[in-house]
Amino acid sequence: MLKLAPRFVRENPALAFFSFLATASSGFGQTFFVGAFGESFRQEFGLTHSGYGLCYSAATLCAAALLLKFGAIVDRWPLRRVTSAALAILAIGCLVLGSASSLLMFVAGLLLIRFGGQAMLPHIAISSAGRYFTTARGKAMALTAAGFPLAEAVLPGLAVLAIGSLGWRAPWYASAAFLLLVLLPGFIRLTRDAPDPRMVKPGDEAEGVGGTRRDALRDRGFFMLLPASIAVPFTVTAIFFHQAAIADLKNWPDGLFAQAFIGFAAGHLLSLLGAGWMIDRLGAQRSFPLILLPLIAGLLVVGFGESAFSPIFALTLVGLSQGGANATVGAIWPERYGVRHVGAIRSVVQSVMVVSTALSPILVGFLLDHDLSIINLATALAVLTFASLIMASQATPYQARRAEGSGT
């Protein structure tokens, strides 16, 4: 079976599988899993919709701050150690949520699963794929990102079934047990031979380019690429969070939007198949603006589409950008700044992304509460995405920019 795998997988199957599995396991802290418990949480702790959203956003913002503080340890700690720590935090968060008897415990549990799951595990997986795979980095990123749709396809359905038969607390205990008894030993085994990140030599593409987090924050190109790097998660989170309101305003039949997630998953997986090849062929930075085009088209379909097939068509287009973004955003930073400090640099990007996903439901909800039409909302989001695309396309390659600066 291994002989049929791509060459980069055959060269280091343990780390390739680890990166894929780490992103998939982050699903226990992602919105698509936690959202299945929303009604149970609100009833248990007497929360309104806005109160629940406030607790969730506050926990997410705190997780982003913690990631910014501790994200750089990926560059210093052995992979086994940092992964075990993140998985333990996520498992403890599951236990706290399952046993929460007060609002304070509930928020603490949310913070732990958002930090360990949504923030740290994807950060570790994507940073590791960028560090350890250089000749086929795009394909490695695509494989790593494939863990997200796997979790999206499996975990929400399991959560709904478990809640219906066991109540809302038992699934969190089961999740903690699975993380500690199954995934933790597996991760320890997969990462036992991983090189110390401090000893990894830069790839050829990083010769003379290697930059620290301070260098990246002084680079104008970094800030030209940053809006494009968060455009997809910002927009997708807003659409998913307010899907019921959007469907109601568009007069789409009940359940039609939910069925359209099949198109989203299909687009997500399809784009992963092509994104790795495109990154390895064109480079991550040149590929970056292209992956936003389907998102812009999908937003316009959401705004102006009247057909019964509009939701499926729209989410398929959005899914194409989702998969492409997951692969490209992970590859661009080691390509641009080298691998030595990729964890520190990615922690900034990941933190900004987490903050954006905390704020987008609030911002879009405010606009909907003030009677902004779906056409105007979708058009505004499409215009913002297009502006980020233009900015990203104008970002000068870091090595060339430094060379220009050294000649003055």
Side-chain angles (χ1 to χ4, degrees):
M1 183 66 69
L2 191 58
K3 293 180 179 180
L4 301 177
R7 182 178 177 182
F8 77 94
V9 175
R10 296 198 304 270
E11 291 176 350
N12 202 333
L15 288 180
F17 185 55
F18 160 77
S19 298
F20 166 78
L21 196 59
T23 54
S25 64
S26 74
F28 291 98
Q30 300 282 5
T31 302
F32 57 77
F33 180 68
V34 181
F37 298 85
E39 189 64 25
S40 300
F41 286 153
R42 291 198 313 106
Q43 292 180 2
E44 180 70 25
F45 300 104
L47 295 169
T48 62
H49 287 287
S50 59
Y52 173 52
L54 180 61
C55 291
Y56 196 66
S57 294
T60 301
L61 290 172
C62 289
L66 290 172
L67 179 63
L68 189 60
K69 173 69 175 178
F70 297 107
I73 65 174
V74 175
D75 300 324
R76 302 191 300 269
W77 285 16
L79 185 57
R80 179 189 300 188
R81 181 182 177 190
V82 70
T83 305
S84 299
L87 206 67
I89 291 170
L90 176 57
I92 292 171
C94 292
L95 291 173
V96 172
L97 276 179
S99 58
S101 57
S102 66
L103 185 61
L104 182 60
M105 284 186 68
F106 169 63
V107 175
L110 287 179
L111 171 59
L112 290 170
I113 66 166
R114 294 297 275 170
F115 177 53
Q118 192 231 12
M120 279 301 293
L121 277 174
H123 176 57
I124 294 167
I126 296 172
S127 297
S128 299
R131 173 176 287 116
Y132 296 119
F133 297 95
T134 55
T135 57
R137 179 174 288 140
K139 296 182 181 66
M141 285 297 174
L143 175 63
T144 300
F148 292 120
L150 173 64
E152 292 165 359
V154 174
L155 291 182
L158 288 179
V160 171
L161 289 175
I163 293 170
S165 58
L166 301 172
W168 71 267
R169 294 184 183 272
W172 290 107
Y173 293 133
S175 298
F178 179 73
L179 289 166
L180 294 175
L181 301 179
V182 178
L183 287 182
L184 182 58
F187 282 156
I188 291 174
R189 183 175 180 83
L190 290 171
T191 57
R192 63 183 178 181
D193 297 322
D196 189 309
R198 294 167 295 184
M199 304 302 292
V200 175
K201 295 181 180 180
D204 292 340
E205 83 289 345
E207 293 292 339
V209 181
T212 65
R213 179 159 66 182
R214 179 177 296 180
D215 293 328
L217 294 176
R218 291 175 175 175
D219 175 26
R220 186 168 65 97
F222 175 83
F223 293 98
M224 295 181 72
L225 292 165
L226 191 58
S229 72
I230 66 172
V232 175
F234 177 90
T235 304
V236 170
T237 299
I239 292 174
F240 286 5
F241 197 87
H242 294 289
Q243 58 182 279
I246 293 172
D248 183 58
L249 291 172
K250 293 290 294 185
N251 293 317
W252 286 334
D254 292 341
L256 183 60
F257 204 102
Q259 295 173 14
F261 277 88
I262 298 174
F264 176 80
H268 193 162
L269 289 172
L270 181 63
S271 65
L272 286 175
L273 296 176
W277 174 87
M278 182 172 66
I279 293 168
D280 291 334
R281 181 91 177 215
L282 302 178
Q285 184 161 326
R286 291 177 63 188
S287 303
F288 208 5
L290 299 178
I291 59 98
L292 296 179
L293 293 175
L295 175 61
I296 295 171
L299 286 168
L300 294 178
V301 173
V302 170
F304 294 93
E306 299 295 339
S307 166
F309 296 100
S310 293
I312 296 176
F313 187 36
L315 287 196
T316 300
L317 289 168
V318 173
L320 288 172
S321 281
Q322 178 73 69
N326 285 341
T328 309
V329 174
I332 194 168
W333 311 117
E335 175 186 283
R336 187 175 178 86
Y337 301 111
V339 301
R340 189 64 54 80
H341 302 284
V342 65
I345 295 169
R346 277 208 76 261
S347 68
V348 177
V349 180
Q350 184 78 359
S351 296
V352 174
M353 184 277 292
V354 173
V355 170
S356 76
T357 60
L359 296 181
S360 65
I362 299 173
L363 175 60
V364 172
F366 174 82
L367 295 175
L368 291 173
D369 286 341
H370 286 75
D371 299 323
L372 185 70
S373 70
I374 294 299
I375 290 178
N376 289 336
L377 174 62
T379 301
L381 290 173
V383 169
L384 289 174
T385 303
F386 183 72
S388 70
L389 181 156
I390 296 299
M391 288 180 64
S393 67
Q394 298 300 309
T396 305
Y398 184 60
Q399 189 174 22
R401 193 191 69 82
R402 284 175 60 124
E404 291 167 4
S406 64
T408 59

